[in-house]
Amino acid sequence: MMNLVTWNPMREMETLQNRINRLFDGRFFPSSSLDDDMSVGNWRPVVDIYENEDTLVVKAELPGVDKKDITVDLKDGVLTLSGKRSHEKEVKEENYYRKERAYGSFHRSFNVTAEIDPDKIKAEFKDGVLKVEIPKPEEKKPKKIAVH
């Protein structure tokens, strides 16, 4: 149903390096630039993808995102989730002690089979979780053969 994606160890190393840098920058050398980057920059919501007999299911955690700010697209076998989480304006910047939640745009794309009918895809947003159900094409469903 889904294409395999090549593991990129350099991306993993870069992520680890960024986490280690944040640990030392925040604890030993406090700086507001890190917090500003996190609050304004792009963020990547976590996603679970699984399949059952009839559908492929994509669940994305989108806390604090308004339903009207979410877009789900399917084009050329690529499912794309995108949108934005707006910054809360209720608290003045000088009243913050720490700001770790990221705001701004997000964009996640996943390869799926190209034979999917976009009109049959269902998307539901409830309690901060986007659930996208993609029906498998008839020829991709496992066929049970009765043994006599």
Tab-separated table of all heavy atoms in Angstrom, residues 76-98:
chain	number	residue	atom	x	y	z
A	76	ASP	N	-1.226	12.603	-7.339
A	76	ASP	CA	-0.188	11.732	-7.896
A	76	ASP	C	0.334	10.729	-6.868
A	76	ASP	O	1.536	10.498	-6.762
A	76	ASP	CB	0.974	12.553	-8.461
A	76	ASP	CG	0.545	13.463	-9.595
A	76	ASP	OD1	-0.374	13.065	-10.343
A	76	ASP	OD2	1.117	14.557	-9.746
A	77	GLY	N	-0.562	10.158	-6.068
A	77	GLY	CA	-0.167	9.147	-5.099
A	77	GLY	C	0.509	9.698	-3.858
A	77	GLY	O	1.128	8.947	-3.111
A	78	VAL	N	0.404	11.013	-3.618
A	78	VAL	CA	0.998	11.616	-2.432
A	78	VAL	C	-0.112	12.278	-1.613
A	78	VAL	O	-0.805	13.170	-2.104
A	78	VAL	CB	2.079	12.656	-2.807
A	78	VAL	CG1	2.639	13.323	-1.556
A	78	VAL	CG2	3.193	12.001	-3.608
A	79	LEU	N	-0.264	11.817	-0.365
A	79	LEU	CA	-1.215	12.405	0.564
A	79	LEU	C	-0.477	13.489	1.343
A	79	LEU	O	0.570	13.233	1.931
A	79	LEU	CB	-1.762	11.350	1.527
A	79	LEU	CG	-2.731	11.875	2.577
A	79	LEU	CD1	-4.073	12.208	1.944
A	79	LEU	CD2	-2.911	10.864	3.693
A	80	THR	N	-1.017	14.699	1.349
A	80	THR	CA	-0.372	15.821	2.019
A	80	THR	C	-1.297	16.407	3.075
A	80	THR	O	-2.450	16.724	2.785
A	80	THR	CB	0.009	16.926	1.008
A	80	THR	OG1	0.855	16.355	0.007
A	80	THR	CG2	0.718	18.073	1.687
A	81	LEU	N	-0.775	16.517	4.297
A	81	LEU	CA	-1.471	17.182	5.388
A	81	LEU	C	-0.749	18.504	5.622
A	81	LEU	O	0.473	18.521	5.775
A	81	LEU	CB	-1.415	16.349	6.665
A	81	LEU	CG	-1.787	14.871	6.567
A	81	LEU	CD1	-1.596	14.194	7.915
A	81	LEU	CD2	-3.207	14.714	6.075
A	82	SER	N	-1.482	19.590	5.652
A	82	SER	CA	-0.843	20.887	5.890
A	82	SER	C	-1.799	21.804	6.633
A	82	SER	O	-2.992	21.537	6.730
A	82	SER	CB	-0.407	21.525	4.568
A	82	SER	OG	-1.518	21.689	3.710
A	83	GLY	N	-1.244	22.863	7.165
A	83	GLY	CA	-2.044	23.836	7.891
A	83	GLY	C	-1.178	24.721	8.738
A	83	GLY	O	0.026	24.847	8.493
A	84	LYS	N	-1.789	25.329	9.756
A	84	LYS	CA	-1.025	26.214	10.627
A	84	LYS	C	-1.646	26.250	12.013
A	84	LYS	O	-2.840	26.036	12.193
A	84	LYS	CB	-0.949	27.625	10.055
A	84	LYS	CG	-2.289	28.329	10.003
A	84	LYS	CD	-2.142	29.725	9.475
A	84	LYS	CE	-3.531	30.364	9.413
A	84	LYS	NZ	-3.489	31.738	9.027
A	85	ARG	N	-0.784	26.493	12.979
A	85	ARG	CA	-1.218	26.707	14.357
A	85	ARG	C	-0.870	28.148	14.686
A	85	ARG	O	0.302	28.536	14.642
A	85	ARG	CB	-0.525	25.741	15.310
A	85	ARG	CG	-0.938	25.960	16.753
A	85	ARG	CD	-0.590	24.817	17.667
A	85	ARG	NE	0.809	24.449	17.605
A	85	ARG	CZ	1.285	23.318	18.130
A	85	ARG	NH1	0.485	22.465	18.724
A	85	ARG	NH2	2.561	23.045	18.046
A	86	SER	N	-1.897	28.920	15.009
A	86	SER	CA	-1.700	30.346	15.266
A	86	SER	C	-1.179	30.581	16.669
A	86	SER	O	-1.500	29.853	17.605
A	86	SER	CB	-3.023	31.094	15.078
A	86	SER	OG	-3.482	30.930	13.758
A	87	HIS	N	-0.396	31.629	16.790
A	87	HIS	CA	0.190	32.024	18.070
A	87	HIS	C	-0.895	32.683	18.922
A	87	HIS	O	-1.671	33.494	18.434
A	87	HIS	CB	1.343	32.991	17.818
A	87	HIS	CG	2.065	33.404	19.049
A	87	HIS	ND1	2.788	32.507	19.804
A	87	HIS	CD2	2.180	34.598	19.670
A	87	HIS	CE1	3.316	33.147	20.831
A	87	HIS	NE2	2.962	34.416	20.775
A	88	GLU	N	-0.944	32.311	20.190
A	88	GLU	CA	-1.909	32.905	21.106
A	88	GLU	C	-1.444	34.298	21.491
A	88	GLU	O	-0.302	34.496	21.894
A	88	GLU	CB	-2.050	32.032	22.356
A	88	GLU	CG	-2.578	30.654	22.053
A	88	GLU	CD	-2.515	29.737	23.266
A	88	GLU	OE1	-1.952	30.139	24.300
A	88	GLU	OE2	-3.021	28.622	23.159
A	89	LYS	N	-2.328	35.264	21.407
A	89	LYS	CA	-1.966	36.650	21.686
A	89	LYS	C	-2.409	37.099	23.083
A	89	LYS	O	-2.272	38.248	23.421
A	89	LYS	CB	-2.620	37.578	20.642
A	89	LYS	CG	-2.156	37.305	19.239
A	89	LYS	CD	-0.708	37.674	19.068
A	89	LYS	CE	-0.277	37.457	17.637
A	89	LYS	NZ	1.111	37.630	17.414
A	90	GLU	N	-2.944	36.194	23.909
A	90	GLU	CA	-3.489	36.590	25.198
A	90	GLU	C	-2.421	37.011	26.201
A	90	GLU	O	-2.679	37.793	27.091
A	90	GLU	CB	-4.310	35.442	25.788
A	90	GLU	CG	-5.547	35.137	24.966
A	90	GLU	CD	-5.839	33.649	24.899
A	90	GLU	OE1	-5.195	32.874	25.616
A	90	GLU	OE2	-6.715	33.279	24.122
A	91	VAL	N	-1.216	36.482	26.089
A	91	VAL	CA	-0.166	36.777	27.051
A	91	VAL	C	0.892	37.634	26.364
A	91	VAL	O	1.350	37.313	25.275
A	91	VAL	CB	0.485	35.471	27.579
A	91	VAL	CG1	1.577	35.780	28.577
A	91	VAL	CG2	-0.570	34.562	28.181
A	92	LYS	N	1.295	38.704	27.004
A	92	LYS	CA	2.330	39.561	26.439
A	92	LYS	C	3.670	38.828	26.476
A	92	LYS	O	3.937	38.045	27.380
A	92	LYS	CB	2.424	40.867	27.225
A	92	LYS	CG	1.196	41.719	27.087
A	92	LYS	CD	1.365	42.994	27.875
A	92	LYS	CE	0.117	43.841	27.752
A	92	LYS	NZ	0.225	45.063	28.542
A	93	GLU	N	4.506	39.101	25.496
A	93	GLU	CA	5.803	38.434	25.382
A	93	GLU	C	6.649	38.568	26.646
A	93	GLU	O	7.315	37.644	27.054
A	93	GLU	CB	6.586	38.989	24.180
A	93	GLU	CG	6.019	38.597	22.836
A	93	GLU	CD	6.162	37.123	22.538
A	93	GLU	OE1	7.174	36.519	22.927
A	93	GLU	OE2	5.244	36.569	21.915
A	94	GLU	N	6.626	39.719	27.293
A	94	GLU	CA	7.488	39.908	28.456
A	94	GLU	C	7.003	39.122	29.669
A	94	GLU	O	7.722	39.000	30.658
A	94	GLU	CB	7.635	41.401	28.805
A	94	GLU	CG	6.336	42.087	29.175
A	94	GLU	CD	5.639	42.755	27.989
A	94	GLU	OE1	6.020	42.516	26.846
A	94	GLU	OE2	4.700	43.522	28.239
A	95	ASN	N	5.789	38.566	29.621
A	95	ASN	CA	5.258	37.788	30.738
A	95	ASN	C	5.581	36.298	30.632
A	95	ASN	O	5.211	35.526	31.499
A	95	ASN	CB	3.749	37.971	30.858
A	95	ASN	CG	3.386	39.381	31.301
A	95	ASN	OD1	4.200	40.059	31.918
A	95	ASN	ND2	2.205	39.814	30.969
A	96	TYR	N	6.232	35.899	29.553
A	96	TYR	CA	6.592	34.496	29.391
A	96	TYR	C	7.856	34.176	30.191
A	96	TYR	O	8.804	34.944	30.201
A	96	TYR	CB	6.881	34.162	27.912
A	96	TYR	CG	5.674	33.737	27.133
A	96	TYR	CD1	4.967	34.641	26.362
A	96	TYR	CD2	5.241	32.423	27.157
A	96	TYR	CE1	3.860	34.256	25.628
A	96	TYR	CE2	4.143	32.018	26.432
A	96	TYR	CZ	3.454	32.936	25.678
A	96	TYR	OH	2.370	32.529	24.961
A	97	TYR	N	7.869	33.018	30.846
A	97	TYR	CA	9.082	32.516	31.479
A	97	TYR	C	9.792	31.561	30.532
A	97	TYR	O	11.003	31.484	30.490
A	97	TYR	CB	8.758	31.780	32.792
A	97	TYR	CG	8.247	32.715	33.853
A	97	TYR	CD1	6.904	32.744	34.174
A	97	TYR	CD2	9.108	33.568	34.529
A	97	TYR	CE1	6.428	33.600	35.144
A	97	TYR	CE2	8.641	34.426	35.495
A	97	TYR	CZ	7.298	34.439	35.805
A	97	TYR	OH	6.838	35.293	36.753
A	98	ARG	N	9.000	30.798	29.807
A	98	ARG	CA	9.552	29.829	28.856
A	98	ARG	C	8.487	29.587	27.789
A	98	ARG	O	7.315	29.480	28.095
A	98	ARG	CB	9.900	28.532	29.564
A	98	ARG	CG	10.569	27.520	28.677
A	98	ARG	CD	11.251	26.454	29.528
A	98	ARG	NE	11.932	25.515	28.720
A	98	ARG	CZ	13.168	25.650	28.276
A	98	ARG	NH1	13.849	26.730	28.558
A	98	ARG	NH2	13.726	24.731	27.553
